[in-house]
Amino acid sequence: MNWDVIEGNWKQLKGNVKEQWGKLTDDHLDTIAGKRDQLSGKLQEAYGVSKDEAEKQIKAFEERNRNDKRFL
C-alpha cells in the first residue's frame, strides 16, 4: 500500500478509516492527514494500545483494503 497515494486521497479515505477506528474524531483524522506514523500515534492514544499493536492493526487495515484502487 502506497502511503503517498493515501495521503493524496485522504479526504476520500477518511470514511474507511473512521469505520475501522470509530474512536478517532474528525479532528484526529484532519491531524493524521494520511500520514501513517500519525495514524499509529493516534491509535495508541485513542485506544490505549502499544505501538506494535497499532502497527498490527494498520497492517490488517491495509490487507483488507488492498484491492481498493484509492489505496494503490
Side-chain angles (χ1 to χ4, degrees), residues 44-62:
Q44 291 171 61
E45 183 181 302
Y47 288 90
V49 298
S50 68
K51 183 175 182 175
D52 288 341
E53 176 60 25
E55 290 297 324
K56 181 179 170 185
Q57 289 183 23
I58 292 169
K59 285 180 184 179
F61 177 77
E62 290 172 342

Side-chain angles (χ1 to χ4, degrees), residues 10 14 18 24-33 42:
W10 187 245
K14 286 194 309 188
K18 185 131 183 168
L24 297 180
T25 66
D26 288 333
D27 287 341
H28 289 139
L29 296 174
D30 290 342
T31 300
I32 294 165
K42 291 298 180 188

Side-chain angles (χ1 to χ4, degrees), residues 6-24:
I6 291 172
E7 191 172 337
N9 292 332
W10 187 245
K11 286 185 181 186
Q12 296 92 327
L13 300 172
K14 286 194 309 188
N16 293 61
V17 175
K18 185 131 183 168
E19 186 177 306
Q20 176 68 36
W21 295 289
K23 288 186 180 180
L24 297 180

Side-chain angles (χ1 to χ4, degrees), residues 54-71:
E55 290 297 324
K56 181 179 170 185
Q57 289 183 23
I58 292 169
K59 285 180 184 179
F61 177 77
E62 290 172 342
E63 186 63 29
R64 280 190 300 278
N65 291 285
R66 69 181 168 164
N67 294 324
D68 188 326
K69 301 285 186 221
R70 297 173 298 173
F71 289 93

